[in-house]
């Protein structure tokens, strides 16, 4: 099962949306881009479900722990919560959502699935001097350590390879 963020709702062919999970708040987001699309996805698209309060709290706590909460809209948090609640793979190009999922071993995939993930790598970026350091084995938030240059906290960041 898959949960789709709004980018996927807009980008994927309608037939691929069937059976996927979304939250009701995403209809308004799609409406902003295309009222026609919004009508179509409501009549023949994914299942619109609201996450439980518990799942939203879990998603919020996870995003706080990874430092991504401030960049996430309420709808983003809801779709993350829905993915968690239903054990659904989250389809998103939002690196914050991807970062939260990665840190909590929740499956996710990018919207365009033609190997584009190969052109991305993880790095540890210093919150102070912004220097980047190689990301070692996957570690949970809080175990990344501190910048050897300035001592500030390191955070996991997804960067695009130059090739
Ligand atoms: Zn630093």
């Amino acid at each position: 099962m898959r949960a789709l963020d709004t980018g996927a709702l807009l980008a994927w062919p309608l037939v691929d949306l069937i059976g996927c999970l979304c939250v009701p708040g995403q209809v308004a987001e799609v409406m902003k881009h295309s009222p026609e699309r919004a009508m179509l996805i409501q009549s023949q698209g994914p299942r619109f479900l609201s996450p439980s309060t518990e799942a939203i709290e879990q998603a919020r706590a996870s995003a706080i722990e990874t430092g991504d909460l401030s960049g996430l809209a309420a709808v983003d948090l809801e779709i993350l919560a829905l993915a968690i609640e239903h054990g659904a793979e989250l389809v998103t190009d939002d690196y914050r959502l991807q970062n939260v999922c990665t840190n909590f071993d929740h499956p996710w995939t990018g919207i365009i699935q033609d190997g584009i993930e190969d052109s991305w790598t993880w790095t540890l970026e210093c919150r102070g001097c912004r220097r980047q350091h190689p990301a070692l084995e996957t570690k949970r938030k809080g175990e990344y350590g501190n910048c050897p240059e300035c001592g500030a906290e390191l955070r996991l960041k997804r960067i695009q390879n130059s090739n």
Side-chain angles (χ1 to χ4, degrees):
M1 196 184 309
R2 285 168 161 172
L4 309 178
D5 83 352
T6 304
L9 266 183
L10 288 166
W12 276 16
L14 274 177
V15 65
D16 290 343
L17 305 180
I18 297 169
C20 293
L21 303 179
C22 289
V23 298
Q26 289 177 272
V27 175
E29 291 197 323
V30 173
M31 191 81 76
K32 277 186 260 175
H33 295 272
S34 166
E36 294 81 8
R37 179 83 176 172
M39 273 177 54
L40 283 171
I41 62 167
Q42 285 180 92
S43 62
Q44 48 183 292
R47 294 164 62 200
F48 288 94
L49 301 171
S50 294
S52 68
T53 308
E54 292 77 14
I56 289 177
E57 281 313 306
Q58 189 183 345
R60 186 191 309 277
S62 301
I64 287 172
E65 201 175 323
T66 62
D68 291 301
L69 183 67
S70 63
L72 292 176
V75 169
D76 295 332
L77 206 59
E78 285 181 14
I79 192 65
L80 174 63
L82 196 66
I84 292 171
E85 185 173 1
H86 293 270
E89 181 182 53
L90 181 56
V91 181
T92 181
D93 279 346
D94 185 316
Y95 72 86
R96 297 178 195 86
L97 289 176
Q98 293 172 350
N99 189 40
V100 177
C101 288
T102 298
N103 275 274
F104 290 91
D105 295 324
H106 188 88
W108 62 266
T109 185
I111 294 170
I112 309 294
Q113 299 175 59
D114 57 356
I116 199 168
E117 287 162 50
D118 293 339
S119 68
W120 294 84
T121 50
W122 292 96
T123 188
L124 293 174
E125 185 184 76
C126 174
R127 285 182 157 171
C129 68
R130 300 288 168 190
R131 281 191 184 86
Q132 293 186 346
H133 305 279
L136 306 174
E137 300 298 308
T138 52
K139 290 182 176 178
R140 294 178 74 86
K141 166 74 179 174
E143 296 175 356
Y144 300 129
N146 295 77
C147 176
E149 302 292 335
C150 75
E153 187 185 353
L154 297 176
R155 67 173 297 179
L156 196 61
K157 188 184 179 188
R158 195 171 177 239
I159 54 165
Q160 190 160 24
N161 292 335
S162 52
N163 56 358

